[in-house]
Amino acid sequence: MSTMQTVIEKLAQEHNLPDGELLQLITSTEADTNQLLAAAADKIRQQYYGKKVYIRGLIEFTNYCKNNCYYCGIRAGNAHAQRYRLSKEQILDCCAEGYKLGFRTFVLQGGEDPYFTDERICEIVAAIRKQHPDCAITLSIGEKEKASYQAYFEAGANRYLLRHETASEEHYAKLHPASMSLANRKRCLFDLKEIGYQVGSGFMVGSPYQTPQNLLADLRFLQELQPDMIGIGPYITHEQTPFADKKSGTAEQTLRMLSILRLMFPYALLPSTTALGTIHPNGRELGLKAGGNVVMPNLSPVNVRKLYELYENKICTGEEAAQCRGCLEARVRMAGYEIVTDRGDVARNMI
């Protein structure tokens, strides 16, 4: 048995490794490392979730953002971005169509848009909750005060996605303006957990200036947070950002980190992301085979999909919701898994 295989088996059994061995996995140049990791990760995801893949209906409801993250296409400083906001009625229409297509989780994602006050967010969440009492409502709208998170929760939100992006202070400062802080991002995540949300975090793979030690720090922070969902994807360059000349991350490294996450967090809900599908033609299928068990088809109206451009060349921007759903179902089936239409809550107590 190779050294790498021994390390992977140890991680599969113990769900943890010393720093040196984790770094060895992250940086391995052995040709079969990803293959060995994916096989071990798939075995564990099947112990917890079988062949089930959960679908989340993504509604990108605003691309206005007050922040200026250096990597993001909808940053406030991008004067070329064509901005839009969906009305409450449009959001409810997306949910109604999604419900008919079998979605039982809706993800409202947007930039940090001051127009959407706590009152407006609560009104939208309460309306979705009333219309679809059996569904999970997920918010992904950035950093807020604890009282705001509490208000959304009381209005009917169940889950909240907030990627920490990088757990290294030094690296965080290279990706964000001084007005933003990693300490505040972490505060938000622990506030959300305390309130009772199912919490999702995660990070970019291959972002500018990222080192293997940064990825190790991400894994250690996630161990501290113990989130329900972990979303990772390759960093993809956008030409209308300060990082226009930076290289994108790779599918290979992203798939490797996805498998490592499955082995460290067997219970977690791990999306196989659109960004992975953007950087590799079979990226989402490979993500499922590497340990992923969630896909997030787009329910946003077709006329705004191209405008929610966090990164360039995003896939599936021209498809109607039903096409998106059907295409993904076929891809998931071809990868050897099955889409299930339930809320898909986290399986912390399965084993």
Side-chain angles (χ1 to χ4, degrees), residues 3 12 14 16 50 65 74 76 81 103 114 118 153 155 168 220-221 227 229 254 258 265 307 331 349 351:
T3 310
E14 299 177 14
N16 197 11
C65 191
I74 65 168
F103 291 89
D118 289 353
F153 189 75
S168 155
R220 294 305 186 210
F221 170 66
M229 298 158 278
T254 306
L258 190 58
F265 304 91
L307 307 180
R331 283 172 169 267
N349 304 314
I351 287 184

Side-chain angles (χ1 to χ4, degrees), residues 45 48-57 103 105 159 268-272 288 292-297 328 332 338-347 350:
R45 69 90 78 186
Y48 276 71
Y49 291 100
K51 293 191 177 289
K52 291 178 180 176
V53 173
Y54 301 106
I55 49 170
R56 316 297 199 207
F103 291 89
T105 294
R159 301 173 180 158
L269 293 159
L270 301 181
S272 188
L288 294 175
N293 64 335
V294 172
V295 288
M296 296 172 73
L328 255 185
V332 167
E338 55 169 340
I339 279 184
V340 288
T341 54
D342 62 30
R343 282 169 42 119
D345 289 303
V346 71
M350 290 289 283

Side-chain angles (χ1 to χ4, degrees), residues 74-268:
I74 65 168
R75 64 198 303 270
N78 182 4
H80 300 283
Q82 191 182 331
R83 306 289 178 175
Y84 74 90
R85 293 183 179 108
L86 298 185
S87 66
K88 182 177 86 170
E89 290 67 34
Q90 284 176 301
I91 293 168
L92 287 170
D93 285 348
C94 292
C95 292
E97 184 179 9
Y99 193 86
K100 278 188 281 187
L101 292 169
F103 291 89
R104 295 298 177 265
T105 294
F106 302 115
V107 180
L108 268 60
Q109 182 172 303
E112 292 193 22
D113 181 355
Y115 170 82
F116 284 99
T117 58
D118 289 353
E119 190 180 353
R120 284 192 168 113
I121 294 291
C122 288
E123 196 183 313
I124 291 164
V125 168
I128 298 171
R129 174 58 58 226
K130 187 177 177 188
Q131 189 171 289
H132 304 291
D134 56 330
C135 291
I137 302 171
T138 304
L139 296 177
S140 180
I141 52 176
E143 297 177 13
K144 307 284 182 184
E145 292 304 317
K146 189 175 184 181
S148 303
Y149 291 146
Q150 185 71 47
Y152 311 153
F153 189 75
E154 287 168 10
N158 313 85
R159 301 173 180 158
Y160 204 101
L161 306 181
L162 182 66
R163 285 187 178 185
H164 66 274
E165 298 302 7
T166 175
S168 155
E169 294 275 5
E170 188 186 353
H171 189 217
Y172 193 93
K174 289 178 178 174
L175 303 181
H176 303 89
S179 57
M180 298 178 72
S181 78
L182 179 59
N184 192 57
R185 180 68 55 123
K186 288 181 174 180
R187 187 270 306 164
C188 290
L189 284 162
F190 285 106
D191 281 352
L192 288 160
K193 279 205 79 167
E194 202 174 296
I195 288 166
Y197 282 93
Q198 287 185 33
V199 174
S201 193
F203 53 91
M204 290 179 288
V205 180
S207 58
Y209 313 109
Q210 187 179 66
T211 65
Q213 285 73 20
N214 294 150
L215 289 169
L216 176 64
D218 288 322
L219 297 174
R220 294 305 186 210
F221 170 66
L222 291 169
Q223 284 181 311
E224 184 190 345
L225 181 67
Q226 289 290 305
D228 301 285
M229 298 158 278
I230 304 171
I232 68 166
Y235 160 75
I236 302 177
T237 305
H238 193 295
E239 68 175 4
Q240 290 157 4
T241 69
F243 286 164
D245 61 339
K246 303 296 183 198
K247 276 187 188 164
S248 293
T250 66
E252 185 185 25
Q253 189 67 22
T254 306
L255 292 165
R256 179 174 301 191
M257 294 308 298
L258 190 58
S259 293
I260 290 171
L261 285 167
R262 172 58 68 204
L263 296 174
M264 291 181 74
F265 304 91
Y267 66 83

